Amino acid sequence: AEKQLEINPTMRLAIEMKGWCVGMKGDWKNALEYFQEVHRLANHPLKSLAPLGYAYAKIGEREKAFEAINKLEQRQAQEPDLAVDGDLLMVWWALGDKEKTFYYVNNCFKKGLNSIYYYLEYPMMFGIKEYPEVIELIEKNSSPASAKH
């Protein structure tokens, strides 16, 4: 991320990556600053919200995490073909709401969003694959019978 930022200091992907690295080391307040910059650079009130929501949840600013969720849901309503379920599951996971997290994991599978497999491997989602509900969904959706033709 730092190398990429040397080349392009406003590269959102690199800034976000740096934020995740800082956050995963336990400094979610500092990570939040990176995510706020990513959101600012997105130049849209309903974009780049999952990292913000996640960081807010991690530092205990639950109301701001819920604001991020509301905005993600608003974007989903405005753009019905856009899938924000993965973003929502991340924020709910950070908030510790396993029921909502599993709801969105299931939605990802229902909608055929293959990105769910990446989401479940992200370091910030550590521990989610240990839950029987998630194991069951992975097994159910990874079987040859569930493969789409």
Side-chain angles (χ1 to χ4, degrees), residues 39-96:
H39 180 65
R40 186 188 70 75
L41 290 168
N43 200 29
H44 192 287
L46 303 179
K47 291 185 178 179
S48 298
L49 292 165
L52 274 177
Y54 193 99
Y56 281 129
K58 287 298 196 180
I59 62 173
E61 293 193 31
R62 295 178 64 81
E63 289 306 314
K64 288 189 177 184
F66 290 129
E67 284 177 32
I69 287 169
N70 290 335
K71 288 178 180 179
L72 285 164
E73 290 171 342
Q74 181 182 348
R75 185 165 183 213
Q76 181 72 75
Q78 289 178 3
E79 300 177 52
D81 293 334
L82 180 69
V84 298
D85 300 271
D87 293 343
L88 287 163
L89 81 86
M90 285 177 51
V91 182
W92 284 114
W93 176 253
L95 284 165

Side-chain angles (χ1 to χ4, degrees), residues 59-131:
I59 62 173
E61 293 193 31
R62 295 178 64 81
E63 289 306 314
K64 288 189 177 184
F66 290 129
E67 284 177 32
I69 287 169
N70 290 335
K71 288 178 180 179
L72 285 164
E73 290 171 342
Q74 181 182 348
R75 185 165 183 213
Q76 181 72 75
Q78 289 178 3
E79 300 177 52
D81 293 334
L82 180 69
V84 298
D85 300 271
D87 293 343
L88 287 163
L89 81 86
M90 285 177 51
V91 182
W92 284 114
W93 176 253
L95 284 165
D97 188 320
K98 293 181 183 47
E99 185 176 317
K100 289 279 193 179
T101 301
F102 300 148
Y103 171 82
Y104 285 107
V105 169
N106 191 42
N107 271 4
C108 287
F109 281 116
K110 277 186 189 176
K111 293 178 179 181
L113 304 175
N114 289 330
S115 57
I116 184 62
Y117 294 102
Y118 294 107
Y119 275 102
L120 297 176
E121 295 297 330
Y122 287 161
M124 69 285 286
M125 299 303 293
F126 180 76
I128 193 168
K129 286 176 39 179
E130 297 171 10
Y131 285 90

